[in-house]
Amino acid sequence: MHSLRTYLKAVAAMCLSAAQPVLAQEPVSSEEVLTGEEVRQDLATWMEWTRSTHPDLSYSVNLETLDMAVAKATQSLPDTLSRPHAWKALATLNPLLNDAHVGLLVPPASDVPDSAPPIPISAGSTGTGATPLEIIAFNSVPWAELAETAMPLLRGENDALRRFIIELRLHGLLRLILPGGEVKTMTLSSASGMSVEIPVDASRLRFVSGQAGDYAISFEGSTALLSVPSFSREREEEFTAFLERAFAAIADKRSQRLIIDISQNGGGAHDLSDKLMAYLTNQPCTASSAITARITPENQGLVPGSELGDVLTLPFAEPVIPPKELANRYSGEVLIKTGSKTYSQAIVFAATAQDIGVAKLIGEPPQAPANQTGQVQTFTLPNTGFVVRAPIYIIYRGSGDRSRDALKTENMVAP
């Protein structure tokens, strides 16, 4: 038992720089205090900006319920608030917006250097990647308790997506919901159940979510499994090279079935999903049939006669034309595996493949609507500096369905 405890500490030391002994929490400085009036002004500004940016907030929001919640939040603000208190007071509105593309963002931990050792995490089972360890508490507060505190404050259509946001924004969240606001210790556990609490240097903690997973290709018999965890624009060059290698290998193996796993894919840019679609068909691909759009300086030129601020619902069925010739384009059976974390552009990709008959969908259905909002804008609130977001488009899938229904998957066992 002693040797295992020593091992746990040794592995933890490889990931983290030890901090000084835990000190009493410092008093909140005057620079960190906001007045209730400042926060009230930002709340009003947030709601006004969101309503004037979103093309139809009622698409995802019960406006009467939201109005009552805003009034309650406005009245309940104390005379002074710390920044974490102010954020939490405003963030109680996030779940009511019912769309991860709308709401108050978690402030980033921008002071953490990129050189800090990355610690891979996964919500509900926070682990240290290749090491056989699991993070079970911060500052002796159990992970489950922290997640329970965070969930009612986060954006998203449902709890599955809010858990995903915990992964993506863990460090910033810990600063907001941990007593004292700073990570001073982590409790790690091994697979055998042995646990140890170690001091950590918060400035050296850099968490990496499952969204940053690797692209991968594997084979089982005549089936190829393509793992696509992200359509992030920042990874376009990597993704392009991966697709070339993967489809060359699929052709070499003469695979009869291709399973594309986007169950962990939280979205990204259509440029990347278009590249993947091009390997599946040479036919025009129509991702949308119509849009509801807020007219902004960005898109006004596309709609002659429109005025800034107008909201218009227009046919929009512009196809993406794949290259006529593409080395190793696949022509066998295609299955796309979705899951509760499939979101945004990943949903659009799956819906498009289903609508044009390129693939069948399997696995757990995404827990967000097939018709997604898009072209997300951000705005910085003047008093608090908090950032909010809202889309200017509602994009209706190519099939013409304009409901809030989720994608339907086949009654098949997902590999």
Side-chain angles (χ1 to χ4, degrees):
M1 181 176 295
H2 176 74
S3 61
L4 182 54
R5 184 176 295 276
T6 301
Y7 166 75
L8 285 169
K9 289 185 176 180
V11 173
M14 294 173 61
C15 300
L16 307 166
S17 299
Q20 297 298 316
V22 175
L23 303 176
Q25 172 68 12
E26 293 292 328
V28 177
S29 70
S30 58
E31 289 79 10
E32 294 174 307
V33 173
L34 296 158
T35 68
E37 181 57 28
E38 288 175 324
V39 180
R40 271 188 287 274
Q41 290 173 2
D42 272 8
L43 174 53
T45 300
W46 173 21
M47 290 297 110
E48 181 181 357
W49 177 83
T50 299
R51 290 173 185 269
S52 64
T53 300
H54 199 294
D56 180 9
L57 196 57
S58 67
Y59 180 67
S60 64
V61 178
N62 182 314
L63 297 180
E64 183 178 354
T65 301
L66 178 63
D67 288 343
M68 290 190 294
V70 169
K72 181 178 179 181
T74 300
Q75 294 167 4
S76 63
L77 290 170
D79 292 337
T80 59
L81 304 86
S82 67
R83 285 184 59 77
H85 187 180
W87 185 87
K88 286 183 280 190
L90 298 182
T92 56
L93 302 174
N94 269 341
L96 299 178
L97 299 170
N98 201 28
D99 182 349
H101 290 150
V102 188
L104 179 71
L105 304 187
V106 176
S110 57
D111 58 329
V112 178
D114 290 339
S115 59
I119 303 173
I121 57 97
S122 175
S125 179
T126 306
T128 57
T131 67
L133 302 179
E134 181 182 4
I135 302 172
I136 60 174
F138 293 94
N139 295 1
S140 300
V141 181
W143 169 261
E145 185 177 324
L146 291 169
E148 184 178 355
T149 300
M151 291 287 276
L153 304 173
L154 298 177
R155 296 171 287 113
E157 288 86 334
N158 50 61
D159 284 350
L161 291 169
R162 292 178 194 117
R163 281 191 290 270
F164 196 11
I165 291 175
I166 291 177
E167 292 186 42
L168 296 173
R169 302 289 180 261
L170 178 59
H171 200 164
L173 268 174
L174 289 173
R175 292 184 173 185
L176 294 166
I177 64 177
L178 265 181
E182 182 180 350
V183 180
K184 296 179 182 286
T185 67
M186 289 170 53
T187 304
L188 306 177
S189 175
S190 69
S192 65
M194 171 68 70
S195 64
V196 62
E197 184 177 61
I198 60 169
V200 297
D201 180 352
S203 69
R204 299 290 295 172
L205 287 174
R206 183 164 64 93
F207 298 107
V208 181
S209 81
Q211 174 76 345
D214 291 333
Y215 300 117
I217 178 73
S218 60
F219 298 91
E220 184 174 337
S222 61
T223 297
L225 176 62
L226 198 70
S227 178
V228 182
S230 171
F231 289 132
S232 171
R233 190 182 299 278
E234 289 73 21
R235 303 181 70 177
E236 184 170 4
E237 185 176 345
E238 173 193 358
F239 187 57
T240 302
F242 165 73
L243 290 178
E244 291 177 0
R245 296 192 307 271
F247 280 91
I250 291 168
D252 184 60
K253 294 278 189 178
R254 299 185 179 182
S255 299
Q256 301 301 304
R257 169 185 279 187
L258 171 61
I259 300 172
I260 301 173
D261 186 350
I262 58 170
S263 61
Q264 304 293 309
N265 191 319
H270 73 84
D271 308 66
L272 280 77
S273 62
D274 289 348
K275 289 176 184 289
L276 175 54
M277 188 70 78
Y279 278 95
L280 308 180
T281 180
N282 61 1
Q283 300 302 307
C285 303
T286 303
S288 63
S289 58
I291 58 170
T292 297
R294 173 76 66 177
I295 301 302
T296 69
E298 271 186 328
N299 60 21
Q300 186 180 21
L302 302 175
V303 187
S306 64
E307 299 288 338
L308 290 178
D310 284 351
V311 174
L312 305 172
T313 297
L314 305 165
F316 190 82
E318 295 187 3
V320 174
I321 311 296
K324 185 174 181 180
E325 301 294 334
L326 183 63
N328 301 312
R329 178 174 277 132
Y330 182 74
S331 60
E333 180 186 14
V334 180
L335 305 176
I336 296 176
K337 179 182 176 183
T338 61
S340 62
K341 293 181 181 179
T342 304
Y343 193 64
S344 195
Q345 186 59 34
I347 289 180
V348 174
F349 169 75
T352 303
Q354 187 178 62
D355 289 345
I356 66 177
V358 163
K360 293 180 179 179
L361 307 187
I362 62 172
E364 182 183 352
Q367 296 193 26
N371 291 322
Q372 287 282 291
T373 53
Q375 199 71 29
V376 177
Q377 310 295 299
T378 60
F379 177 77
T380 301
L381 299 177
N383 296 322
T384 60
F386 298 146
V387 177
V388 294
R389 64 180 344 202
I392 61 172
Y393 293 132
I394 301 170
I395 304 165
Y396 304 108
R397 63 187 293 185
S399 69
D401 178 11
R402 297 191 183 184
S403 72
R404 289 271 297 170
D405 293 344
L407 287 171
K408 292 180 171 60
T409 60
E410 300 283 334
N411 186 22
M412 300 173 65
V413 177

